[in-house]
Every structure is written in C-alpha cells, then in structure tokens.
Amino acid sequence: KRHREMITRHATELLDSWIDDGEVEFIGRFARPLPQRVMASILGFPQEDIPQLAEWGDAAVTPFVHGDGLQHTLEPEQTEEMLARLDGFQDYIYEHVTAKRADPQDDMVSFLCNAHYQALDRELTDLEIAGSVHAMILGGLETTQYALEEEAQLLCEHPGLFEQLRDDRSQIRQLTEEAMRMRSPTQGLSTRMTSQDEVFQGVEVPAGSLLHLRFGAANVDADEFECPFDLDLDRPGITRHVTFSAGPRVCPGASLSRIEQQIAWNVLFDRVASIAYGDGNDWLHQPGIMLGTLRLHLRFERA
C-alpha cells in the first residue's frame, strides 16, 4: 500500500500524454507502460532503462509465447536468438546489486541485499537476488498489462458499466476480480508429470503423462462458478478464483497487481467520461499461455 502514491503518479503522467486526443491505443500508451514504470520504481531501476528492461523481459518469456507443446520447447535457432536478446541482462542486475550493497536505497534490490536467509543463517547471494529480480520483471509486466486490457474490453462490451463504476468507485475492486476470473491474464503455467496411473473425471491418465495446469479453465468451471461467463459484480466469494494460483506458491505480486489495477481505473474514471472500441482493432492475440490482444484502440470522451 505504500506504493499507492507512486502508482497514481505514473498513471496520471501516462494519461496526461493522451487525454486531449479523443482516441488512444490503450495497451501501448497505458496498460503496458504502467506496470513497467511501477516495477522499475519498486526495484530501484532508472525509468530511462525501461525500454531495455522491456526488451529483456520479452526475450525471457519467449518459451512461453513461442515454445512448442506443454514443455514450451524452442527450436535451436529460436534459443540462440533468445540468448542473444538476453545478452547483458544478468550483468545489468549484478551491477545494480553491487551498487545497492554499497549504498542501499528504499527499493526492493536494496532490501534483498540486506535480507537474512534464516534457514542457512546467511545473506542472499548475488545469484539468488538476480533470480528474484528476474522473476519480478517476468511476472509483473505482461500479466497486469493484459488484466487492464481485458477489463477495458469488458467495459466496452457492457453498456452503462463504465458510468456505473465511475459513479460508484467501491465496485472497482469487484470489476478487477471478476475480469481476472473470466479472462485470466495467465491461462496456464505449470507442467507436471504424473507419477502413477490416475483417473481424472473419468479420463484415464497413465503414469508419465504431462499435465498442464490451466488457471483459465478452473476460473470458468460451471461446477464452481454459477453462470461462469457472465460478469457479476455481486458474485459471492469474488476473490475465490485461482488467477494468481493458490496455497503456498501463490503469486508474490498478487497484491501489487491488484492495487495497480484499482488505482489505474480510479485515475481513468477521474478523467474519462466514457470509452468505446475505436477503429483499427484486428483482435490479434498474444500466442502462448497469456490472454490478451496485441493492440486495443479505444475512443473516449474526456470528463
């Protein structure tokens, strides 16, 4: 919650750059740069480094976007290209770790540099810190981007909903939770191999089979959610979805993403009176495990 002011500032600055235009490519000018700015601020990286960080982030998720099958296998030339694009990423993180160890600041990298690993009674190594930073960059950018993008689509597709939420901000949280349930930004992630013969809902699955855990399917399971494809802001247990996984391995950035989404829409509702689909939408989607269009053109009326 201490990041609310920072998130609000970034959202407002982005909105200022297009509020007089009457139309906007929502992803490129808001939904994507907002989590990029927020993550750079939290990690303690300069804002001017965002384009390079975004390039490294795009390269690192190549297997999940273009990989083949449940194991996200890349062709040798794809792997070679990915590694070439990632060149300098690890060195960049190590440079910042070294600097933060010498001169700690109020950011996540500095915190990790001073964290104590109780189980082994020692500090984290540079490699362990780099791994955490790497995971934060991967997990904190595209997921929130696609959540905001799908929420914008739902607002366009439900007449009167934008005005309803603009007048009653207490329902913004319900919108974001329902949208993440209906259109999970990450549709699936973990691949598991069965250790023994099993039967799942009448389907025989031999030992050694690969299973891909699909959050998106679980979230629209009619046995769990009544009328699962309907947007229901009064749905009981509205946070019961598994968009962020569940249990001991729940997404560590879940609270941050939720706050980002809620602040983003509060800022937008302050400045925008209505939105609708604009011209030029081709509805091409990100391949792989994510759900979201590559572009989203919107028309809007300034408040």
Side-chain angles (χ1 to χ4, degrees):
K1 292 182 179 180
R2 68 192 183 97
H3 295 305
R4 286 186 179 275
E5 183 178 342
M6 175 267 290
I7 297 170
T8 303
R9 183 179 72 253
H10 285 311
T12 301
E13 289 175 356
L14 289 169
L15 189 58
D16 286 342
S17 70
W18 51 263
I19 190 63
D20 294 322
D21 296 345
E23 56 185 30
V24 64
E25 197 288 283
F26 185 71
I27 296 176
R29 301 194 67 183
F30 191 81
R32 183 169 178 81
L34 178 60
Q36 289 175 341
R37 286 180 171 219
V38 170
M39 190 57 65
S41 297
I42 288 175
L43 291 171
F45 294 161
Q47 293 289 308
E48 55 266 28
D49 291 351
I50 286 177
Q52 180 60 73
L53 289 168
E55 170 63 24
W56 283 327
D58 287 342
V61 298
T62 299
F64 299 105
V65 176
H66 300 292
D68 182 59
L70 299 185
Q71 294 181 309
H72 312 295
T73 305
L74 295 176
E75 296 292 336
E77 56 270 21
Q78 290 177 305
T79 301
E80 187 176 335
E81 179 187 3
M82 179 185 70
L83 293 175
R85 292 173 62 197
L86 284 170
D87 185 47
F89 187 24
Q90 204 79 338
D91 291 338
Y92 176 90
I93 296 175
Y94 285 143
E95 288 171 7
H96 279 274
V97 170
T98 300
K100 303 294 185 183
R101 285 197 189 279
D103 184 20
Q105 305 294 316
D106 184 21
D107 55 56
M108 181 179 169
V109 176
S110 297
F111 172 82
L112 291 172
C113 287
N114 289 286
H116 187 77
Y117 190 9
Q118 288 185 321
L120 297 178
D121 192 24
R122 63 167 175 79
E123 293 183 341
L124 300 178
T125 66
D126 287 0
L127 180 62
E128 289 166 339
I129 294 172
S132 295
V133 172
H134 187 268
M136 289 293 289
I137 291 175
L138 297 190
L141 300 184
E142 287 195 334
T143 48
T144 300
Q145 165 191 328
Y146 289 131
L148 290 169
E149 183 263 346
E150 292 294 337
E151 287 153 14
Q153 286 199 46
L154 288 170
L155 288 168
C156 289
E157 293 165 5
H158 290 76
L161 182 59
F162 189 95
E163 293 76 13
Q164 173 186 332
L165 293 174
R166 189 167 179 260
D167 294 339
D168 183 3
R169 305 297 177 84
S170 68
Q171 293 187 314
I172 291 177
R173 175 173 173 268
Q174 285 97 308
L175 168 72
T176 58
E177 297 295 340
E178 262 291 85
M180 287 190 290
R181 180 194 65 79
M182 292 175 64
R183 302 183 179 181
S184 307
T186 304
Q187 287 285 298
L189 186 61
S190 301
T191 299
R192 295 288 184 265
M193 181 178 289
T194 54
S195 60
Q196 61 190 36
D197 293 343
E198 271 291 356
V199 178
F200 294 106
Q201 295 186 341
V203 179
E204 294 183 2
V205 181
S209 298
L210 288 176
L211 301 180
H212 198 228
L213 307 185
R214 303 296 289 184
F215 309 138
N219 285 339
V220 292
D221 183 349
D223 290 339
E224 295 294 326
F225 301 99
E226 184 178 357
C227 301
F229 295 102
D230 290 349
L231 180 70
D232 182 2
L233 300 187
D234 296 319
R235 186 179 296 278
I238 203 160
T239 62
R240 200 168 57 85
H241 58 78
V242 290
T243 297
F244 296 110
S245 190
R249 288 181 177 154
V250 69
C251 171
S255 295
L256 176 62
S257 180
R258 285 180 158 119
I259 290 174
E260 280 185 79
Q261 294 172 54
Q262 293 168 26
I263 290 175
W265 286 112
N266 264 300
V267 169
L268 285 162
F269 287 136
D270 282 342
R271 307 280 296 282
V272 177
S274 65
I275 63 171
Y277 286 136
D279 298 327
N281 287 310
D282 53 20
W283 309 114
L284 293 177
H285 276 65
Q286 166 78 288
I289 64 170
M290 307 301 293
L291 174 66
T293 58
L294 301 178
R295 287 164 293 278
L296 182 63
H297 295 280
L298 298 177
R299 293 194 312 273
F300 64 90
E301 179 186 356
R302 179 172 177 168

